[in-house]
Amino acid sequence: MMTLVKNYLKNIPGYKTNRKLLAFAVDDYGNLRVRDRETQKKLSEFGMPSTSVFDRLDSLETENDLAALFDVLSKFRDKNDNPACFSAYALCCNPNYEEMANQNFTSYISELLTDTFKKVPQGSQAWEAWQYGMKSKMLVPAFHGREHLNVRLVSDALKSNDSRIRFAFANGTFSNIESKNFPSYYAAFDQVDSSDTALHKEIIVDGLQKFEQVFGFRAINFNAPGGRESHDLHQTLLDNGIQFIDSGFEKIITLPKGKVQKQYMWMGKNTKDNLKVILRNAVFEPASNVNAIADAFKQIQIAFKLKNPVVVSSHRVNFSGGIEENNRKKSLADLQTLLNLVQTEYPDVEFVSTAELGNIMKGKDYV
């Protein structure tokens, strides 16, 4: 009952429109998390078992992953002849394990995503698939941060000779390293203390420059790894081209020493620094939810009923087949079912990226 109430509450305030605007916001593209099954086995034998769906299945996207995704998305075209599309919230950098090994893992070093693809098997084909996805407008990159790691925490762990981090990095991965929720190794902008703000600002500026270098354009929308960041970073985001920031209904704001606070968000809300909120008001996570189709469709129905655009939140792990091909196959079958349901009930649906949705909301608040 509370879930149903919340699904209505999050769609009551904010931007309204008679248009049936639908976007998919999918996190973690470009992130090299799980390397392969052999590495998973080594980690488990070392005492670092996979404890989440991400540690089990979330591998760097392959040509097959992207081709299968495009096959599904291309089957659905809206009234404007636009295909269904993913706003791919991507990381433009990964850890450079080889260079860190050369320095005996005494400090953290990153590399561009394009360099990562050069190193992995069939990486060039995967990057070519990326180009096709962008050109066909089925895969629209958005800024998810520079890397999906908290540089401060990782650097401190390397300096203290943390055996878990060093073993994972020596095996070319950063999966299975989490041992706490706050601050998290995976939440790039969690704060150990207030001195992290300056570092995080530097990472944002550098990350946005590298995003442009990798994808060929300046990002305008952002969702932090782990979905949380400090308000102190918003002006830096705005100053460096970000106009829109993704959020769930309950936005987690990070504070020093691993503390957090929650704020309620709505579609089109302006932050005090004049970033416009893109509310993720539906969730589709078929790799971890057996009721993913029904849950997502119900949330879509409620949002459209209350004249809200729909932003479906998801993660790349659902569509990753590098570790377990059946994971990708099942999730894509579920995605196709969901899109069928949507287009059958709402033949006037319009598929948009989250950046396009943001620009629509900026153009006019009420339609």
Side-chain angles (χ1 to χ4, degrees):
M1 183 63 181
M2 283 304 299
T3 298
L4 181 62
V5 170
K6 185 177 289 188
N7 284 335
Y8 273 93
L9 283 176
K10 65 187 176 184
N11 288 294
I12 291 174
Y15 176 85
K16 302 296 178 184
T17 178
N18 290 319
R19 296 169 67 181
K20 301 297 188 293
L21 301 169
L22 177 67
F24 282 86
V26 188
D27 291 338
D28 299 344
Y29 276 92
N31 185 33
L32 178 58
R33 182 152 175 172
V34 180
R35 183 167 289 275
D36 50 43
R37 286 183 175 178
E38 185 174 339
T39 302
Q40 283 182 317
K41 183 179 178 181
K42 288 181 181 178
L43 293 172
S44 181
E45 291 173 347
F46 190 73
M48 300 169 62
S50 300
T51 57
S52 73
V53 66
F54 298 100
D55 287 335
R56 290 190 293 107
L57 299 171
D58 194 22
S59 58
L60 184 66
E61 57 271 17
T62 66
E63 178 189 17
N64 289 339
D65 288 340
L66 294 175
L69 172 65
F70 300 152
D71 181 60
V72 172
L73 295 176
S74 63
K75 291 176 181 177
F76 300 90
R77 305 193 77 89
D78 65 15
K79 67 176 188 177
N80 303 312
D81 201 35
N82 293 317
C85 70
F86 273 14
S87 294
Y89 284 75
L91 291 307
C92 50
C93 290
N94 282 293
N96 188 329
Y97 300 109
E98 294 82 3
E99 283 301 312
M100 285 190 283
N102 289 338
Q103 298 186 20
N104 196 30
F105 298 106
T106 54
S107 61
Y108 173 77
I109 303 170
S110 66
E111 67 184 14
L112 284 177
L113 173 60
T114 44
D115 291 329
T116 300
F117 274 120
K118 290 175 183 176
K119 293 178 180 180
V120 299
Q122 287 81 51
S124 60
Q125 293 94 321
W127 187 236
E128 286 175 9
W130 250 104
Q131 309 312 303
Y132 173 78
M134 289 189 285
K135 185 176 180 179
S136 62
K137 298 182 179 180
M138 288 187 285
L139 200 63
V140 183
F143 186 54
H144 195 35
R146 192 179 68 182
E147 58 267 289
H148 212 305
L149 279 172
N150 189 300
V151 172
R152 165 70 184 277
L153 288 176
V154 169
S155 297
D156 287 350
L158 291 173
K159 290 175 184 176
S160 66
N161 201 24
D162 184 291
S163 60
R164 293 169 56 87
I165 301 293
R166 288 176 68 93
F167 186 82
F169 278 22
N171 283 279
T173 187
F174 62 87
S175 62
N176 301 34
I177 64 174
E178 193 66 280
S179 59
K180 52 189 174 182
N181 292 322
F182 300 103
S184 165
Y185 283 120
Y186 297 127
F189 302 115
D190 275 2
Q191 299 181 74
V192 177
D193 55 50
S194 57
S195 69
D196 286 334
T197 299
L199 173 62
H200 292 167
K201 288 180 178 180
E202 290 175 11
I203 289 172
I204 284 172
V205 173
D206 185 53
L208 284 166
Q209 291 171 348
K210 286 183 165 64
F211 181 97
E212 184 175 14
Q213 185 177 347
V214 169
F215 295 107
F217 67 94
R218 198 74 178 176
I220 62 172
N221 49 329
F222 169 72
N223 183 47
R228 54 188 191 254
E229 77 286 331
S230 166
H231 276 314
D232 294 336
L233 304 182
H234 287 182
Q235 188 61 51
T236 300
L237 288 164
L238 188 68
D239 291 343
N240 287 273
I242 295 297
Q243 301 175 38
F244 313 110
I245 186 166
D246 281 35
S247 176
F249 180 47
E250 296 176 315
K251 174 69 174 176
I252 298 176
I253 304 300
T254 63
L255 302 170
K257 297 182 180 179
K259 296 181 180 179
V260 299
Q261 65 179 202
K262 290 183 180 180
Q263 292 185 345
Y264 290 105
M265 296 293 184
W266 55 84
M267 189 72 76
K269 178 181 180 178
N270 289 320
T271 70
K272 65 178 182 180
D273 299 300
N274 209 32
L275 291 169
K276 189 171 285 293
V277 172
I278 304 285
L279 182 73
R280 298 190 180 194
N281 51 1
V283 177
F284 180 63
E285 303 283 5
S288 55
N289 179 10
V290 295
N291 298 313
I293 299 170
D295 289 350
F297 189 53
K298 174 55 68 176
Q299 292 172 84
I300 290 168
Q301 289 176 309
I302 291 171
F304 280 158
K305 180 180 179 180
L306 297 181
K307 296 188 175 183
N308 269 24
V310 175
V311 179
V312 181
S313 181
S314 191
H315 288 83
R316 181 196 62 185
V317 66
N318 298 289
F319 315 103
S320 292
I323 303 300
E324 180 52 67
E325 186 177 3
N326 283 337
N327 174 66
R328 180 188 71 220
K329 288 182 176 180
K330 179 191 176 300
S331 292
L332 287 178
D334 288 353
L335 175 64
Q336 183 164 321
T337 299
L338 178 63
L339 286 168
N340 266 319
L341 288 169
V342 170
Q343 204 153 46
T344 298
E345 183 153 340
Y346 306 102
D348 57 343
V349 67
E350 296 179 65
F351 300 126
V352 294
S353 69
T354 53
E356 288 171 326
L357 173 58
N359 284 325
I360 290 170
M361 288 196 294
K362 271 200 164 185
K364 192 173 183 181
D365 285 339
Y366 291 90
V367 177

